[in-house]
Amino acid sequence: MHLAIALFIPNLTGWGDPPGKLTTVLNEIIGWVPYTLSIILFSIDALILIYDLWQTRQSERS
């Protein structure tokens, strides 16, 4: 998503200051769903990794 945003920024004719560049580009390329989904999936993966590490450590102690 960040690559798509970076490639689209030179094509902007202008942006409003309150929403900013990122919000304007996400609105223009209709990128809110994949952007939000990537953040959610990253968070879920981090939680799975932390849980797996915790479970491995608990089994080593036993």
Side-chain angles (χ1 to χ4, degrees), residues 43-62:
S43 301
I44 291 171
D45 289 342
L47 289 174
I48 290 171
L49 180 63
I50 290 169
Y51 176 75
D52 186 46
L53 291 172
W54 177 79
Q55 190 175 21
T56 303
R57 188 171 182 166
Q58 292 298 322
S59 66
E60 287 176 357
R61 287 183 180 178
S62 298

Side-chain angles (χ1 to χ4, degrees), residues 17-61:
D17 206 5
K21 291 181 187 178
L22 178 66
T23 305
T24 303
V25 171
L26 285 174
N27 287 336
E28 296 256 344
I29 65 172
I30 309 169
W32 280 108
V33 173
Y35 190 74
T36 306
L37 187 61
S38 67
I39 293 171
I40 291 170
L41 289 175
F42 179 78
S43 301
I44 291 171
D45 289 342
L47 289 174
I48 290 171
L49 180 63
I50 290 169
Y51 176 75
D52 186 46
L53 291 172
W54 177 79
Q55 190 175 21
T56 303
R57 188 171 182 166
Q58 292 298 322
S59 66
E60 287 176 357
R61 287 183 180 178

Side-chain angles (χ1 to χ4, degrees), residues 2-15:
H2 287 106
L3 179 61
I5 292 167
L7 290 173
F8 192 79
I9 283 180
N11 298 328
L12 284 178
T13 55
W15 60 82

